[in-house]
Amino acid sequence: MKTSRRGVRPVAAAFIITAALSACGSTTSGGSSGTAATTRDIRLAIVGPMTGDAAADGQHILDGATLARDQINNAGGVASGLYKGAKIVLDPLDDTESVDRSVTLAHQVVDSSQEWAFLGTGFSDAAIATAPVLERASVSYLSTYASSAQILAKPFKNVFVVPPTFPAYAYSAAEVAYKQGYRHAAVLQANAAFGLQMAKLFTDHFTALGGMVVDTETYTLGDKNTQGFVAKALASQPEVIAMAGLTGDDVAQLHQIRSAANSTPVLDLEAVAFSQSFLTTAGNDALGFVGQTPSDPKRKTAAAAHLRSIYSAKFHTDVIPDPTAFTYEAVIGVARAMESGPSDRTQLGAAIHNVQLADTGVGPLRFDPSGARLGGTLWYFHVANGAFVFDTGYRQTAPLAVHEVPLEE
Amino acid sequence: MGGSLVTAGAVALSLGVLYAVLGVGFALLYGLLGEVNLAFGDAAVLALLVSAAVFSATGSVILTALAALAVGVLASVAVERFAVAPLRGRGNTLAPIIATVGAALILRNLSLTPFGAEDRSYPQLFGSGALVAGTTSLDATVIAGLSVLLGAAAAGAWAFRRRWGRAVIAVRDAPVGARLLGIPAARVSVVLYAIAGLLGAVGGVLVGAHVRTVGAELSWRTTLLAFTAAIIGGGSLRGAALGGFALGGVEAVAQVLLGSIWAEAFALLLLVSVILLRPRGLRRALTTSRT
């Protein structure tokens, strides 16, 4: 048969051009969510990846804000003070999981002067880049999912990290692994700021405790082609495997581990597994998987029971995803700060620093002078019979310190 | 070291089979029609996600497979009819390629709208048995993939010796002459896109059954892998299969012996090397046949 004389160079060039074109596609969503705004309304920009690969995270962020908004507005709006009765209005903004887009949205919020605060964003990379933009304009920024300590590396006055910061996750995971008797760990880290930072903190603390990380594998975030590097990690014969990636990554890696007839315990560093979709997607591979979350469905406080009931009524499960829990807290915190009557949005940051909530439903909420949450607790669970079984908690008592606390305070 | 080589070999075989099936599907259009379908991966992943939904609704492996094949074929034919065919033969080679990018975005949104961006589990369509090799496993997708490749080779060998196969060759080599001789070039194109969609769906299902967690984000990577395998192979069907195995081998060596972060870099290095050093692909090293 005749061979073609066509070369591949023109096609390759076309491919590269079109790849670049397709990468340029992005969408934004805007517009207010909920009731029509009035001048007394408290508008909040709710930012996250509403479209694209991480759209689930954006939806979780919006879910938490919506729950809090409905709760506050149904109770008559801001409870007291100058803004008594003012309603919360949400402006969902899509950062498409892009750092540049997130920064652009921050500039838009600064320029618009409509929004009182900027809440959300997905990955820490975006939060780190966004924080200085808002700080310069004295606009309050509450990061409700990203929790890298680098977000607060500079002395900001208007930037707050609502989840416990990275050391809380990594240090407590190292403590859990060490207390369970594991001394040799392998780490699977996503090649993104959050994955690399979390894995390093885990390695540092696990080593300080007396353990050893025998292998570290770095993979491209979202890559389901896990077979090779999982096999390499298993070849180092770890006693436990720590994962620092997203939910889908963890599930794909779990499958490869188990399909190699390997029962090595697996530990999540990123608190990404506490969701119904993880249980469904991972199936039997999740048996024994150890994870962490700020939500303990067994907490018996009135606030916790209330949050579970309103979440369950709307979403038919009491497994509250982390971005939902933290964004819910953030909106509650802003509404409480408004009760002190800040004269304009540049004063809101100081008001948030004075907020002290004994229990938002997720836990006590207050911030240290740097904007880091004080007293955040991570609850540890393992998976058994297709359900989460909670074991213990770890509270962040200082930026670099965690202490074990019992369940059911 | 011996254990690592066994593991690398098993990973290479697992990945190579998947990439070979995808590469052959992509090369079918590139090699026989000279057309680049950048919606290939999106059609395959749409088929994959629909089949995952069918399985969760029915639990039937047969219905799941049929749904994947049907959606793969329909999506691919739709790309041909609505994106490529109207621009074919107008002397602009770039326009149809750009049109397939548009088709890819539409297909991706067709995946995202009903299924969302969250990963979902994919069933073990080919059984749960796996042969442990080193610190990894060879699962049933390897056998299934090899069977598909052998079946495709046999079907190709049979078809190209018959009237319809010769019509395809005529359309490829002299489209105007073929039309003058009464060969229905448009129908040939539709059939080739349908077969490519079928192979894409099969490749997608194999990937899903292998990684067990799938989402719309797989689509672009699927196109990239299929494209790379086809280009490495020089556009021929055998070459694309060879390219798929070469790509799988390179990724396996990079992942198991060096580290996962190097896998894509090595794959792209292989692609660039082939483009620079052997612009007609690796096929000349082993074969002179296009089919």
Side-chain angles (χ1 to χ4, degrees):
Chain A
M1 232 164 270
K2 195 173 81 173
T3 57
S4 169
R5 295 190 181 280
R6 283 190 292 269
V8 299
R9 283 179 182 139
V11 175
F15 183 82
I16 291 165
I17 292 167
T18 50
L21 283 171
S22 69
C24 290
S26 67
T27 56
T28 60
S29 68
S32 63
S33 167
T35 56
T38 71
T39 51
R40 277 182 57 80
D41 290 334
I42 309 301
R43 304 191 74 105
L44 302 175
I46 308 299
V47 185
M50 308 298 177
T51 57
D53 295 345
D57 292 335
Q59 187 58 51
H60 289 158
I61 288 171
L62 192 55
D63 289 344
T66 304
L67 277 179
R69 178 201 66 191
D70 292 347
Q71 177 181 316
I72 294 162
N73 290 352
N74 291 341
V78 175
S80 63
L82 185 64
Y83 300 96
K84 183 177 181 182
K87 297 293 196 311
I88 302 292
V89 176
L90 308 177
D91 290 323
L93 300 172
D94 182 7
D95 70 6
T96 66
E97 203 186 338
S98 154
V99 173
D100 291 344
R101 180 71 192 151
S102 187
V103 170
T104 301
L105 291 175
H107 282 293
Q108 287 178 7
V109 167
V110 167
D111 294 341
S112 79
S113 75
Q114 292 278 316
E115 272 84 18
W116 275 84
F118 184 102
L119 285 71
T121 72
F123 293 167
S124 289
D125 311 52
I128 292 166
T130 303
V133 175
L134 295 156
E135 173 68 18
R136 277 196 295 274
S138 298
V139 174
S140 293
Y141 169 35
L142 292 94
S143 173
T144 61
Y145 190 28
S147 57
S148 168
Q150 288 189 15
I151 300 169
L152 302 171
K154 293 178 181 171
F156 296 142
K157 293 179 180 174
N158 300 284
V159 179
F160 305 87
V161 174
V162 183
T165 50
F166 275 16
Y169 295 85
Y171 286 15
S172 59
E175 302 249 355
V176 166
Y178 195 81
K179 280 190 176 175
Q180 292 188 1
Y182 306 129
R183 297 294 179 268
H184 294 138
V187 176
L188 307 179
Q189 59 179 4
N191 189 21
F194 69 88
L196 301 176
Q197 290 170 21
M198 197 73 87
K200 183 178 184 312
L201 288 165
F202 172 84
T203 301
D204 291 347
H205 199 63
F206 192 63
T207 305
L209 291 170
M212 179 189 295
V213 172
V214 292
D215 185 53
T216 299
E217 295 296 325
T218 308
Y219 61 90
T220 304
L221 185 68
D223 187 1
K224 304 296 186 295
N225 180 10
T226 65
Q227 190 178 5
F229 69 83
V230 165
K232 185 161 178 264
L234 292 176
S236 66
Q237 298 185 318
E239 295 168 345
V240 64
I241 295 174
M243 293 178 173
L246 298 181
T247 315
D249 304 337
D250 288 6
V251 171
Q253 292 157 19
L254 263 176
H255 172 64
Q256 287 301 334
I257 292 168
R258 300 303 178 228
S259 69
N262 191 295
S263 58
T264 303
V266 175
L267 177 63
D268 170 35
L269 302 184
E270 297 281 1
V272 296
F274 189 62
S275 69
Q276 196 60 46
S277 67
F278 172 78
L279 290 180
T280 307
T281 313
N284 290 335
D285 295 335
L287 189 65
F289 184 88
V290 174
Q292 53 192 193
T293 174
S295 299
D296 171 11
K298 298 293 184 288
R299 280 185 72 220
K300 291 177 177 171
T301 65
H306 169 71
L307 175 57
R308 277 201 302 278
S309 72
I310 59 173
Y311 186 83
S312 181
K314 192 161 188 175
F315 299 104
H316 312 295
T317 171
D318 62 2
V319 178
I320 305 174
D322 291 7
T324 301
F326 292 130
T327 311
Y328 170 84
E329 285 196 301
V331 175
I332 297 288
V334 169
R336 177 60 68 89
M338 292 304 296
E339 293 176 18
S340 66
S343 57
D344 59 41
R345 67 178 184 174
T346 64
Q347 304 303 311
L348 179 61
I352 293 173
H353 272 293
N354 291 326
V355 165
Q356 292 200 23
L357 292 168
D359 191 354
T360 60
V362 183
L365 180 68
R366 63 192 177 94
F367 298 97
D368 74 5
S370 76
R373 187 216 190 103
L374 287 175
T377 306
L378 294 166
W379 305 100
Y380 273 79
F381 59 79
H382 70 275
V383 177
N385 299 320
F388 299 108
V389 178
F390 281 79
D391 303 310
T392 189
Y394 279 83
R395 179 161 298 148
Q396 187 173 27
T397 50
L400 296 177
V402 290
H403 289 289
E404 190 170 4
V405 293
L407 295 179
E408 299 188 357
E409 296 176 303
Chain B
M1 189 65 185
S4 294
L5 289 177
V6 170
T7 301
V11 175
L13 185 58
S14 296
L15 298 182
V17 167
L18 304 179
Y19 299 168
V21 173
L22 292 171
V24 169
F26 194 95
L28 198 69
L29 303 179
Y30 173 56
L32 296 180
L33 291 177
E35 292 177 355
V36 174
N37 175 16
L38 295 183
F40 179 82
D42 290 276
V45 169
L46 178 61
L48 183 63
L49 293 174
V50 169
S51 67
V54 168
F55 185 82
S56 72
T58 67
S60 164
V61 171
I62 293 174
L63 284 179
T64 300
L66 288 176
L69 299 182
V71 173
V73 168
L74 284 175
S76 188
V77 169
V79 170
E80 197 276 344
R81 284 291 83 195
F82 298 115
V84 178
L87 299 168
R88 193 178 281 141
R90 295 190 178 187
N92 186 342
T93 54
L94 199 55
I97 299 176
I98 299 294
T100 64
V101 173
L105 292 174
I106 291 171
L107 290 174
R108 196 165 310 169
N109 281 290
L110 283 177
S111 296
L112 285 167
T113 302
F115 303 115
E118 280 198 71
D119 289 315
R120 54 184 58 224
S121 60
Y122 201 77
Q124 287 180 314
L125 289 182
F126 309 103
S128 58
L131 175 68
V132 176
T135 53
T136 192
S137 63
L138 283 169
D139 61 25
T141 57
V142 174
I143 303 296
L146 287 172
S147 303
V148 169
L149 288 173
L150 289 173
W158 179 81
F160 283 107
R161 283 177 175 78
R162 274 151 185 82
R163 184 182 173 84
W164 189 87
R166 289 197 292 274
V168 170
I169 301 301
V171 170
R172 180 196 76 195
D173 291 344
V176 176
R179 280 192 202 94
L180 291 173
L181 288 172
I183 294 173
R187 194 182 305 164
V188 167
S189 298
V190 169
V191 171
L192 287 178
Y193 268 82
I195 297 172
L198 193 78
L199 283 169
V202 169
V205 165
L206 290 171
V207 169
H210 181 64
V211 302
R212 299 290 316 285
T213 171
V214 297
E217 90 286 353
L218 270 176
S219 54
W220 176 245
R221 182 173 166 77
T222 301
T223 300
L224 184 64
L225 289 168
F227 172 85
T228 305
I231 292 298
I232 289 173
S236 76
L237 302 186
R238 288 177 193 168
L242 175 69
F245 281 107
L247 186 60
V250 166
E251 283 204 10
V253 167
Q255 282 198 0
V256 177
L257 302 181
L258 299 173
S260 172
I261 204 68
W262 296 104
E264 285 197 354
F266 271 65
L268 289 173
L269 186 64
L270 176 64
L271 175 64
V272 172
S273 301
V274 168
I275 289 172
L276 290 176
L277 303 175
R278 299 192 67 85
R280 291 179 191 170
L282 295 178
R283 74 181 192 281
R284 288 239 166 161
L286 295 180
T287 179
T288 55
S289 169
R290 282 192 66 86
T291 59

mmCIF file of all heavy atoms in Angstrom, chain B residues 182-200:
data_model
loop_
_atom_site.group_PDB
_atom_site.id
_atom_site.type_symbol
_atom_site.label_atom_id
_atom_site.label_comp_id
_atom_site.label_asym_id
_atom_site.label_seq_id
_atom_site.Cartn_x
_atom_site.Cartn_y
_atom_site.Cartn_z
ATOM 1 N N GLY B 182 -17.606 7.662 -8.942
ATOM 2 C CA GLY B 182 -18.871 7.302 -8.302
ATOM 3 C C GLY B 182 -18.731 6.772 -6.897
ATOM 4 O O GLY B 182 -19.696 6.246 -6.329
ATOM 5 N N ILE B 183 -17.549 6.902 -6.333
ATOM 6 C CA ILE B 183 -17.374 6.448 -4.943
ATOM 7 C C ILE B 183 -17.983 7.503 -4.011
ATOM 8 O O ILE B 183 -17.660 8.694 -4.142
ATOM 9 C CB ILE B 183 -15.877 6.248 -4.631
ATOM 10 C CG1 ILE B 183 -15.321 5.097 -5.477
ATOM 11 C CG2 ILE B 183 -15.657 5.975 -3.140
ATOM 12 C CD1 ILE B 183 -13.822 4.919 -5.376
ATOM 13 N N PRO B 184 -18.867 7.101 -3.120
ATOM 14 C CA PRO B 184 -19.521 8.081 -2.231
ATOM 15 C C PRO B 184 -18.568 8.541 -1.122
ATOM 16 O O PRO B 184 -18.562 7.988 -0.021
ATOM 17 C CB PRO B 184 -20.707 7.300 -1.670
ATOM 18 C CG PRO B 184 -20.276 5.870 -1.719
ATOM 19 C CD PRO B 184 -19.345 5.726 -2.871
ATOM 20 N N ALA B 185 -17.768 9.552 -1.433
ATOM 21 C CA ALA B 185 -16.727 10.001 -0.500
ATOM 22 C C ALA B 185 -17.313 10.459 0.832
ATOM 23 O O ALA B 185 -16.745 10.200 1.900
ATOM 24 C CB ALA B 185 -15.917 11.124 -1.139
ATOM 25 N N ALA B 186 -18.464 11.135 0.747
ATOM 26 C CA ALA B 186 -19.064 11.636 1.992
ATOM 27 C C ALA B 186 -19.456 10.474 2.895
ATOM 28 O O ALA B 186 -19.245 10.514 4.112
ATOM 29 C CB ALA B 186 -20.282 12.502 1.665
ATOM 30 N N ARG B 187 -20.004 9.431 2.295
ATOM 31 C CA ARG B 187 -20.419 8.284 3.097
ATOM 32 C C ARG B 187 -19.197 7.574 3.693
ATOM 33 O O ARG B 187 -19.227 7.116 4.829
ATOM 34 C CB ARG B 187 -21.227 7.317 2.242
ATOM 35 C CG ARG B 187 -21.967 6.283 3.077
ATOM 36 C CD ARG B 187 -22.723 5.296 2.203
ATOM 37 N NE ARG B 187 -23.633 5.946 1.269
ATOM 38 C CZ ARG B 187 -24.162 5.345 0.207
ATOM 39 N NH1 ARG B 187 -23.842 4.089 -0.062
ATOM 40 N NH2 ARG B 187 -24.984 5.983 -0.596
ATOM 41 N N VAL B 188 -18.136 7.507 2.888
ATOM 42 C CA VAL B 188 -16.898 6.897 3.400
ATOM 43 C C VAL B 188 -16.415 7.655 4.641
ATOM 44 O O VAL B 188 -16.026 7.062 5.653
ATOM 45 C CB VAL B 188 -15.810 6.885 2.305
ATOM 46 C CG1 VAL B 188 -14.441 6.567 2.900
ATOM 47 C CG2 VAL B 188 -16.162 5.884 1.216
ATOM 48 N N SER B 189 -16.476 8.984 4.556
ATOM 49 C CA SER B 189 -16.022 9.795 5.687
ATOM 50 C C SER B 189 -16.876 9.528 6.923
ATOM 51 O O SER B 189 -16.354 9.373 8.034
ATOM 52 C CB SER B 189 -16.101 11.287 5.344
ATOM 53 O OG SER B 189 -15.256 11.557 4.268
ATOM 54 N N VAL B 190 -18.179 9.478 6.719
ATOM 55 C CA VAL B 190 -19.071 9.247 7.857
ATOM 56 C C VAL B 190 -18.762 7.902 8.506
ATOM 57 O O VAL B 190 -18.682 7.783 9.742
ATOM 58 C CB VAL B 190 -20.551 9.301 7.403
ATOM 59 C CG1 VAL B 190 -21.470 8.793 8.506
ATOM 60 C CG2 VAL B 190 -20.937 10.716 7.014
ATOM 61 N N VAL B 191 -18.577 6.885 7.668
ATOM 62 C CA VAL B 191 -18.301 5.545 8.220
ATOM 63 C C VAL B 191 -16.978 5.543 8.986
ATOM 64 O O VAL B 191 -16.875 4.968 10.081
ATOM 65 C CB VAL B 191 -18.290 4.498 7.085
ATOM 66 C CG1 VAL B 191 -17.787 3.159 7.612
ATOM 67 C CG2 VAL B 191 -19.680 4.350 6.501
ATOM 68 N N LEU B 192 -15.968 6.220 8.428
ATOM 69 C CA LEU B 192 -14.679 6.253 9.132
ATOM 70 C C LEU B 192 -14.797 6.998 10.466
ATOM 71 O O LEU B 192 -14.211 6.583 11.475
ATOM 72 C CB LEU B 192 -13.613 6.903 8.250
ATOM 73 C CG LEU B 192 -13.122 6.038 7.085
ATOM 74 C CD1 LEU B 192 -12.100 6.795 6.235
ATOM 75 C CD2 LEU B 192 -12.491 4.734 7.589
ATOM 76 N N TYR B 193 -15.544 8.080 10.496
ATOM 77 C CA TYR B 193 -15.745 8.789 11.762
ATOM 78 C C TYR B 193 -16.509 7.916 12.754
ATOM 79 O O TYR B 193 -16.246 7.934 13.959
ATOM 80 C CB TYR B 193 -16.484 10.119 11.531
ATOM 81 C CG TYR B 193 -15.547 11.286 11.329
ATOM 82 C CD1 TYR B 193 -14.981 11.527 10.077
ATOM 83 C CD2 TYR B 193 -15.207 12.132 12.371
ATOM 84 C CE1 TYR B 193 -14.109 12.589 9.875
ATOM 85 C CE2 TYR B 193 -14.337 13.188 12.186
ATOM 86 C CZ TYR B 193 -13.782 13.415 10.934
ATOM 87 O OH TYR B 193 -12.907 14.464 10.742
ATOM 88 N N ALA B 194 -17.455 7.147 12.222
ATOM 89 C CA ALA B 194 -18.202 6.257 13.114
ATOM 90 C C ALA B 194 -17.278 5.203 13.722
ATOM 91 O O ALA B 194 -17.335 4.922 14.934
ATOM 92 C CB ALA B 194 -19.333 5.585 12.339
ATOM 93 N N ILE B 195 -16.409 4.633 12.888
ATOM 94 C CA ILE B 195 -15.482 3.612 13.410
ATOM 95 C C ILE B 195 -14.510 4.248 14.403
ATOM 96 O O ILE B 195 -14.184 3.677 15.455
ATOM 97 C CB ILE B 195 -14.721 2.935 12.251
ATOM 98 C CG1 ILE B 195 -15.710 2.203 11.329
ATOM 99 C CG2 ILE B 195 -13.676 1.955 12.781
ATOM 100 C CD1 ILE B 195 -15.077 1.667 10.052
ATOM 101 N N ALA B 196 -14.046 5.464 14.071
ATOM 102 C CA ALA B 196 -13.134 6.158 14.996
ATOM 103 C C ALA B 196 -13.838 6.425 16.328
ATOM 104 O O ALA B 196 -13.241 6.259 17.405
ATOM 105 C CB ALA B 196 -12.667 7.470 14.377
ATOM 106 N N GLY B 197 -15.107 6.825 16.260
ATOM 107 C CA GLY B 197 -15.868 7.053 17.495
ATOM 108 C C GLY B 197 -16.037 5.773 18.284
ATOM 109 O O GLY B 197 -15.961 5.774 19.519
ATOM 110 N N LEU B 198 -16.243 4.674 17.541
ATOM 111 C CA LEU B 198 -16.373 3.374 18.197
ATOM 112 C C LEU B 198 -15.084 3.009 18.948
ATOM 113 O O LEU B 198 -15.113 2.615 20.113
ATOM 114 C CB LEU B 198 -16.673 2.318 17.132
ATOM 115 C CG LEU B 198 -17.132 0.959 17.604
ATOM 116 C CD1 LEU B 198 -18.600 1.020 17.985
ATOM 117 C CD2 LEU B 198 -16.935 -0.075 16.496
ATOM 118 N N LEU B 199 -13.951 3.188 18.247
ATOM 119 C CA LEU B 199 -12.671 2.866 18.889
ATOM 120 C C LEU B 199 -12.385 3.817 20.054
ATOM 121 O O LEU B 199 -11.833 3.410 21.077
ATOM 122 C CB LEU B 199 -11.537 2.940 17.863
ATOM 123 C CG LEU B 199 -11.441 1.744 16.922
ATOM 124 C CD1 LEU B 199 -10.476 2.036 15.775
ATOM 125 C CD2 LEU B 199 -10.986 0.500 17.680
ATOM 126 N N GLY B 200 -12.754 5.092 19.883
ATOM 127 C CA GLY B 200 -12.574 6.041 20.978
ATOM 128 C C GLY B 200 -13.382 5.640 22.204
ATOM 129 O O GLY B 200 -12.894 5.691 23.340
#
